[in-house]
Amino acid sequence: MERFTRLGVLANAHPGGVWAVAAIPPAGGAGADTPEGAFLTGGLDGCVRLWRPPPPSSVMEDADADADASAKADAPPLYVATTAGGDAPPHPAGVLSIAVAAAAPVAVSSSLDGTVCRWRLAASAGAPAVADEADGDDDAGDGALSPPLTLLPPITRDALKSWAVALTPSGSVAAVAGQADAAEDGAIAEASGAITLYALGEGGDEDGSVAAAPTYVASPEASKGAMCLSLTPLDGGKKLAAAYSNGTVAVLDVAAEAVTTTLPSAAGPVRCLTAAPAGAVPGAGDEGLWAAADDGLLYLYDTAAGVVASVRRGHRGSVLGVAASPGGGVRCDCRRRPVGAGVGGAVGAGGGAQ
């Protein structure tokens, strides 16, 4: 186990707190392959922001010609933020989850009130920012650069809450966990553990023209009455893994629209899931799965065999998040810090992770 060196902190990234973060894939439809990387954040303020490396220092100096002398003396920012969606926040409540398609220039975000927004990422979304690029201007005029992040029509839901969201790599299916849409008979499909699938079409409905039709997936019997807290695609998007507040972890088949496997449960709520890189579990191919739980453990599942391949302990308290490098070799996880130890509204690079 190693501790990473913190490269810096983006203070006040969102007023009130940062609740969700998602990296833009370094290869594929969204973004360029840059060593600095780019990512999306969502916060209590209902906004989604794109963070990219700043322009070269010479461009920054030109752009900051009217800034005061003390600001010019400061070091260049680690990242430059772009906020899209107009004057009002696109989400009426705090953003709990963000997902970016691995092979399509689209993303989705969900908030506590049940709103699910769709976003289009320009080819420049993963590249360093440009000094004169419009910030969130979807109506760029002649000669203006296309905005790197554009808000598409949201997925219409008659929902009470959304805990988590996921996209298949192609962006063709969005999965939303939380209190479900109203069924045809007016009843809520399931209370808090429901998963709803939305067909968006190939490429993730880049222009927002597809009317996403919901399909409800029945929760496994072991998770009845529990909240679904995390979703992640497996096996190239053919499957989705779901984690629940009672420790249940299940796998559903996207095409069959049904849960196919219930994995051995953790001893506490499972807060976060991430697909393990190919080869992390011998013989499992692309079906390895990391799970972070409140019992202080990290579980590595072989979802093909339906068993726990290994268990790791690296934290004294709850493990709240886990992420794996797509190329393998690196896995990061984070724990709950003591009350008062955190900084509200800030995003840190590297700190507090193992």
Side-chain angles (χ1 to χ4, degrees):
M1 181 181 68
E2 299 181 10
R3 284 190 175 273
F4 294 91
T5 301
R6 185 168 67 184
L7 301 178
V9 175
L10 305 178
N12 300 316
H14 290 267
V18 181
W19 286 4
V21 62
I24 294 178
D33 189 356
T34 60
E36 298 89 350
F39 56 95
L40 297 170
T41 59
L44 179 62
D45 56 359
C47 291
V48 172
R49 294 193 169 98
L50 167 66
W51 298 85
R52 296 179 295 159
S57 57
S58 60
V59 177
M60 288 293 292
E61 289 170 2
D62 292 340
D64 293 341
D66 296 331
D68 59 50
S70 61
K72 287 183 179 180
D74 292 340
L78 286 174
Y79 290 90
V80 175
T82 296
T83 305
D87 296 333
H91 288 278
V95 179
L96 289 177
S97 182
I98 300 174
V100 181
V106 291
V108 291
S109 55
S110 64
S111 52
L112 189 60
D113 65 296
T115 299
V116 177
C117 290
R118 291 181 285 180
W119 304 88
R120 180 172 65 247
L121 296 163
S124 62
V130 179
D132 59 353
E133 190 165 39
D135 183 5
D137 182 6
D138 293 348
D139 300 318
D142 293 341
L145 297 172
S146 299
L149 183 66
T150 303
L151 178 64
L152 299 174
I155 295 175
T156 302
R157 306 181 73 232
D158 181 17
L160 300 179
K161 288 181 173 61
S162 295
W163 310 116
V165 68
L167 274 174
T168 55
S170 67
S172 60
V173 176
V176 182
Q179 291 184 321
D181 294 356
E184 291 184 0
D185 61 1
I188 295 296
E190 291 188 53
S192 57
I195 297 173
T196 310
L197 303 180
Y198 296 89
L200 302 180
E202 289 305 316
D205 186 20
E206 293 181 43
D207 61 1
S209 61
V210 175
T215 298
Y216 309 108
V217 178
S219 300
E221 190 62 34
S223 71
K224 296 297 184 183
M227 295 187 296
C228 181
L229 300 177
S230 181
L231 295 167
T232 194
L234 294 173
D235 196 15
K238 297 176 183 177
K239 300 176 181 179
L240 284 168
Y244 295 86
S245 58
N246 67 348
T248 299
V249 178
V251 177
L252 64 92
D253 185 293
V254 173
E257 300 171 347
V259 172
T260 57
T261 305
T262 300
L263 301 171
S265 295
V270 176
R271 301 286 180 177
C272 185
L273 300 171
T274 192
V281 181
D286 292 333
E287 298 188 59
L289 177 69
W290 285 106
D294 266 13
D295 58 10
L297 300 177
L298 276 171
Y299 295 82
L300 179 59
Y301 288 100
D302 179 345
T303 61
V307 299
V308 176
S310 67
V311 178
R312 313 280 178 89
R313 177 180 290 278
H315 297 285
R316 291 188 295 272
S318 301
V319 187
L320 302 182
V322 60
S325 168
V330 179
R331 185 207 73 250
C332 298
D333 47 85
C334 57
R335 64 178 172 85
R336 178 180 286 122
R337 300 178 67 185
V339 174
V343 180
V347 177
Q354 301 184 56

